[in-house]
Amino acid sequence: GRDQVGDYIDFVESNAEALLDDPTQIFVLARLELDRSRVFLDCAKAVIAGETAIRQAQTRVQRLSESSVAVLIKAVAYSRAERSLARLQGRGITRCFNKTQKEKYAKTMQLVSNCVGAAQKELGQMPLEELCEPLQVLLQTSSTGQ
């Protein structure tokens, strides 16, 4: 509660200049905090969440590559995985990764980006009539929240 808010206020005040220059440094700076501080522990949780996002992207690519769903559906799913991975970098979480985590992130990002590119290329070669049904399915699942 109040102690946790105080920890964060102290942390932000002591790092205000660095955070004004680059707000995505927050996780790197948090990692430098004393072990077991709330700020440090939250940074560790962000890194774990980043590892989870990487595993989920890898699983999604594998599942989709074996799936017979429409190319449009695959393209959207690949794009969502790519966006999820890009958020890790945008928020500065990847700066806190160790060497192995950084390598896994880069490899996964490349894999997902290649899948997005291949799906886009395939979509570009398809006649519009073939995209009608998958588009309807996609819009239905999007509107129902699935």
Side-chain angles (χ1 to χ4, degrees), residues 9-146:
I9 290 172
D10 291 344
F11 169 74
V12 170
E13 285 176 347
S14 65
N15 294 291
E17 192 172 310
L19 291 173
L20 282 173
D21 291 341
D22 182 7
T24 63
Q25 265 192 314
I26 193 161
F27 292 106
V28 173
L29 294 170
R31 194 169 179 204
L32 299 175
E33 285 290 294
L34 296 173
D35 288 355
R36 306 242 189 277
S37 77
R38 284 180 173 84
V39 176
F40 179 86
L41 292 174
D42 284 348
C43 171
K45 288 177 187 176
V47 169
I48 291 168
E51 289 179 312
T52 301
I54 291 169
R55 280 192 306 276
Q56 287 173 340
Q58 292 168 338
T59 301
R60 179 174 280 175
V61 166
Q62 182 180 2
R63 209 174 55 236
L64 287 169
S65 67
E66 299 167 355
S67 173
S68 62
V69 297
V71 177
L72 181 63
I73 307 294
K74 286 183 180 183
V76 170
Y78 290 141
S79 295
R80 287 179 179 160
E82 186 177 45
R83 184 181 64 213
S84 176
L85 292 172
R87 266 193 220 118
L88 296 176
Q89 188 167 8
R91 292 178 179 162
I93 295 170
T94 57
R95 294 181 189 180
C96 298
F97 284 173
N98 63 33
K99 182 181 177 185
T100 305
Q101 291 165 326
K102 285 179 182 179
E103 289 170 357
K104 189 179 282 189
Y105 173 81
K107 182 179 172 184
T108 304
M109 185 58 132
Q110 185 64 48
L111 173 68
V112 172
S113 294
N114 290 344
C115 290
V116 169
Q120 288 174 340
K121 185 176 180 181
E122 193 173 339
L123 283 171
Q125 296 171 352
M126 292 178 75
L128 288 176
E129 300 81 36
E130 290 182 28
L131 295 174
C132 287
E133 186 179 329
L135 186 56
Q136 287 175 336
V137 170
L138 182 65
L139 292 173
Q140 286 173 344
T141 56
S142 295
S143 66
T144 59
Q146 295 179 350

